[in-house]
Amino acid sequence: MSQIKFLWVALGLGILSGTAQAQDATFQAGATAESTLDSLQASTGLNGFGETYGEQMAREQDEAEAIAQEEKESQGSVLATVPQNSTIDYKGIANAFFAGNQNPDTAEAEQEAPAKPKTYEDVIFTLTEPTSQTVLGMGHTIDLKLRTSSNLKWNFDKEFKSLEFLSERTEDGFFHAVFKAKAPGQETLYFDCLDVGNPTNIQVLETKLIVVKVE
């Protein structure tokens, strides 16, 4: 009878020992798995609250593109990149600097200074082109020169509202017609070149005109 009790006691101790060993093995396996998971999270950034590796790569790419865009925009502008949270009016300061880089007293004096009156002189004008124009001041004279020869004659009008005919002459191969400005206005003078070498057959070789504005 005592032997049977002994066997039961031994069997019970064996079962308890096996259970304890199994629990210890399970605890060690769990600790190893947790340590492995911590190492994996530290190396890859994978955890229950953070971003995955793919999300991290996407974020870094977005940040790089944003930096490149800011550099591109800053290169196309004279001004440096303005901080987003800044309350300083950088644009207004720059406009005031570039547009107002002039002494205010000088700028105001230039605006108030009256325009200088034009100065005029007597004019000597050689007509070489078919059409010409010039400006003549009041009281001044204009000497119109046209190349000529013994068989040529320049025919022209002498009566104008703004011009007064003074004289004509031939000198050094040129025909001269001199007028004087007598009233503001604009006159168009026509000069017809006639070939008078054959009196019975006078021909018009060319016509030149000049517009004279009298001020």
Side-chain angles (χ1 to χ4, degrees):
M1 186 68 177
S2 60
Q3 292 179 352
I4 295 174
K5 288 182 179 180
F6 177 78
L7 290 174
W8 277 109
V9 171
L11 180 60
L13 292 174
I15 293 172
L16 291 174
S17 177
T19 303
Q21 291 178 358
Q23 290 176 350
D24 184 61
T26 302
F27 176 78
Q28 292 180 357
T32 303
E34 184 177 359
S35 177
T36 303
L37 179 59
D38 292 340
S39 299
L40 180 60
Q41 292 173 349
S43 61
T44 64
L46 178 61
N47 54 66
F49 301 97
E51 59 186 0
T52 63
Y53 179 74
E55 292 173 342
Q56 179 183 356
M57 293 296 293
R59 175 177 56 78
E60 293 178 353
Q61 183 177 0
D62 293 340
E63 292 176 353
E65 292 177 355
I67 294 173
Q69 181 65 23
E70 290 179 359
E71 292 178 353
K72 181 177 179 181
E73 292 177 354
S74 64
Q75 291 176 357
S77 174
V78 178
L79 303 177
T81 302
V82 179
Q84 295 181 355
N85 298 329
S86 175
T87 58
I88 300 176
D89 186 9
Y90 289 96
K91 185 175 181 181
I93 295 173
N95 290 338
F97 177 79
F98 289 111
N101 195 14
Q102 185 180 10
N103 189 333
D105 297 336
T106 304
E108 184 177 357
E110 291 179 353
Q111 293 179 355
E112 294 180 355
K116 294 182 179 180
K118 295 182 179 179
T119 57
Y120 299 95
E121 297 179 351
D122 294 341
V123 177
I124 300 176
F125 198 103
T126 303
L127 279 70
T128 57
E129 301 296 330
T131 303
S132 306
Q133 60 182 359
T134 189
V135 177
L136 184 63
M138 279 291 298
H140 290 274
T141 61
I142 182 169
D143 183 352
L144 300 174
K145 297 173 57 178
L146 301 103
R147 186 168 293 278
T148 188
S149 62
S150 59
N151 65 316
L152 298 179
K153 177 179 176 61
W154 286 98
N155 188 41
F156 61 98
D157 292 333
K158 300 179 181 179
E159 298 294 332
F160 298 96
K161 293 181 179 180
S162 299
L163 297 174
E164 177 185 357
F165 174 72
L166 296 181
S167 64
E168 63 178 275
R169 70 184 188 277
T170 300
E171 181 178 272
D172 298 330
F174 284 93
F175 173 77
H176 296 256
V178 182
F179 291 85
K180 181 178 180 180
K182 65 178 181 179
Q186 181 172 295
E187 304 290 355
T188 301
L189 286 72
Y190 292 89
F191 291 86
D192 296 324
C193 183
L194 306 178
D195 183 356
V196 294
N198 184 358
T200 60
N201 187 20
I202 298 176
Q203 298 180 355
V204 178
L205 301 180
E206 63 175 327
T207 298
K208 294 183 183 297
L209 68 87
I210 180 172
V211 178
V212 180
K213 183 179 180 181
V214 177
E215 296 182 347

